[in-house]
C-alpha cells in the first residue's frame, strides 16, 4: 500500500535488517529496540491491524507465531520472550500495518506499561 513503511520494507524499497523472509511473512530488526532482541514480524499483505483481519487471513497469525518460535530459538531467548501486537492508538500502535513485536534477551516486567 502506498505510503506504508512496512509495505516498503517488504518490497525492499526501504532498508531493514531482515532476519526471516518467506512468501507471506517478513521479519526484521526494530529500528528502536526496546530489548536486546526486538524483531518485528509482519505479514507482507497490507492488513491494518487485528481489527481488520479477515477470516481468510487467519492462517497468517499461526505462521507469524511459528516464525517467532524459530527466531526465539535462533536468538537463544527461550528463557523468556514476549510477542506483542499493539492494536489501536491507546495501546501504542504507531504503524498501521499489522505487526508483532518479538522481545527478549532481558527480564520483561509484568504488567506492561
Ligand atoms: P507499534 O508502536 O506500531 O506497535 O510499533 C511500531 C514499531 O516499528 C516501533 O517499535 C518502531 O520502532 C518500529 N519502526 C517504525 N518505523 C520503522 C522503520 O522504518 N524500520 C524499522 N526497522 N522499524 C521501524
Ligand atoms: Zn502496509
Amino acid at each position: 500500500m502506498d505510503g506504508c513503511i512496512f509495505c516498503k520494507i517488504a518490497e525492499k524499497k526501504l532498508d531493514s535488517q531482515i532476519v526471516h523472509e518467506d512468501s507471506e511473512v517478513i521479519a526484521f530488526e526494530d529500528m528502536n529496540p526496546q530489548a536486546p532482541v526486538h524483531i518485528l514480524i509482519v505479514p507482507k499483505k497490507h492488513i491494518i491491524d487485528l481489527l481488520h483481519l479477515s477470516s481468510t487471513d487467519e492462517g497468517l497469525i499461526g505462521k507469524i507465531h511459528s516464525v517467532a518460535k524459530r527466531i526465539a530459538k535462533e536468538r537463544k531467548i527461550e528463557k523468556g520472550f514476549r510477542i506483542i501486537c499493539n492494536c489501536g492508538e491507546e495501546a501504542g500502535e504507531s504503524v498501521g500495518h499489522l505487526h508483532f513485536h518479538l522481545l527478549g534477551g532481558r527480564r520483561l516486567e509484568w504488567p506492561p506499561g
Side-chain angles (χ1 to χ4, degrees), residues 83-100:
I83 298 163
I84 296 170
C85 178
N86 294 320
C87 192
E89 184 253 320
E90 276 201 19
E93 182 187 347
S94 63
V95 177
H97 179 132
L98 182 64
H99 55 279
F100 291 75

Side-chain angles (χ1 to χ4, degrees), residues 1 4 6-7 46 97:
M1 197 211 184
C4 172
F6 290 173
C7 281
H46 184 82
H97 179 132

